[in-house]
Amino acid sequence: MSVRILALVGSLRAGSHNRQLAEAAVRHAPEGVEVIVFDGLAEVPFYNEDLDVVGQVPASATKLREAAASADAFLLFSPEYNGTMPAVLKNSIDWLSRPYGAGALSGKPVAVVGTAFGQYGGVWAQDDARKAAGIAGGVVLEDVKLSIPGSVTRFAELHPADDTEVVDGLVKTLASVAAKATPAAA
């Protein structure tokens, strides 16, 4: 039985290095681990309780919640925008935190990784994402971290999937997340 890890990428940019990092996680997932990158965060409206009404939840938010419900764990990829996580990633956490106490993140392992241009690789944003995911009910793996600095220069000509150090870090991260996950019955 495979452990399913849902990857949420906090950058919508076509050439996003964090998107490339998520692609590398898919490509190099260890045996028994399946990484699924969620497409569609750009279509999910900002969380609003007026929209979150049974029978009226926007289709894009329902799709996100269904993907999250079928996941055993989460891997959030966060760049750093103005010293914090991007709105699209925070918004996905907000949608997955509801209904209160029973959201799709509730009780499932969550790790946060990422890359950014700065010298610390986006650690402030990643710390904020960990905080939000934990408050939303996720079991944040505080000791599972991967922050890759200098993304613009490091990945100018090399895809993260071809960077040996990055791949090693991703494989270790995925193995740690998988070890904490309880696979759903098929």
Side-chain angles (χ1 to χ4, degrees):
M1 188 177 315
S2 182
V3 172
R4 288 176 293 193
I5 298 174
L6 184 64
L8 302 177
V9 180
S11 175
L12 302 176
R13 187 172 63 85
S16 163
H17 296 119
N18 280 282
R19 176 64 180 215
Q20 292 176 0
L21 197 60
E23 292 166 358
V26 170
R27 186 167 146 196
H28 294 287
E31 179 85 23
V33 176
E34 177 185 14
V35 178
I36 301 149
V37 179
F38 183 82
D39 288 314
L41 289 183
E43 288 78 40
V44 179
F46 280 112
Y47 184 79
N48 176 341
E49 272 187 85
D50 293 340
L51 299 176
D52 195 5
V53 177
V54 175
Q56 298 176 23
V57 175
S60 56
T62 298
K63 181 181 170 188
L64 172 62
R65 284 178 170 168
E66 289 171 349
S70 70
D72 303 312
F74 299 89
L75 187 54
L76 310 182
F77 291 83
S78 185
E80 191 165 88
Y81 291 179
N82 297 312
T84 192
M85 78 177 116
V88 69
L89 186 57
K90 174 64 168 71
N91 188 50
S92 66
I93 293 168
D94 291 344
W95 276 103
L96 296 177
S97 73
R98 299 290 189 255
Y100 180 76
L105 283 173
S106 191
K108 294 182 181 178
V110 179
V112 182
V113 299
T115 185
F117 181 59
Q119 65 181 338
Y120 301 112
V123 294
W124 290 348
Q126 294 157 30
D127 286 345
D128 286 347
R130 283 183 196 92
K131 177 182 174 184
I135 291 170
V139 178
V140 176
L141 307 178
E142 293 288 348
D143 59 333
V144 179
K145 297 179 180 183
L146 179 63
S147 301
I148 304 160
S151 60
V152 173
T153 53
R154 182 168 190 156
F155 303 126
E157 296 181 21
L158 182 68
H159 191 285
D162 300 320
D163 183 313
T164 305
E165 182 182 9
V166 169
V167 169
D168 183 53
L170 280 172
V171 169
K172 288 177 182 172
T173 297
L174 291 168
S176 295
V177 173
K180 298 289 185 182
T182 304

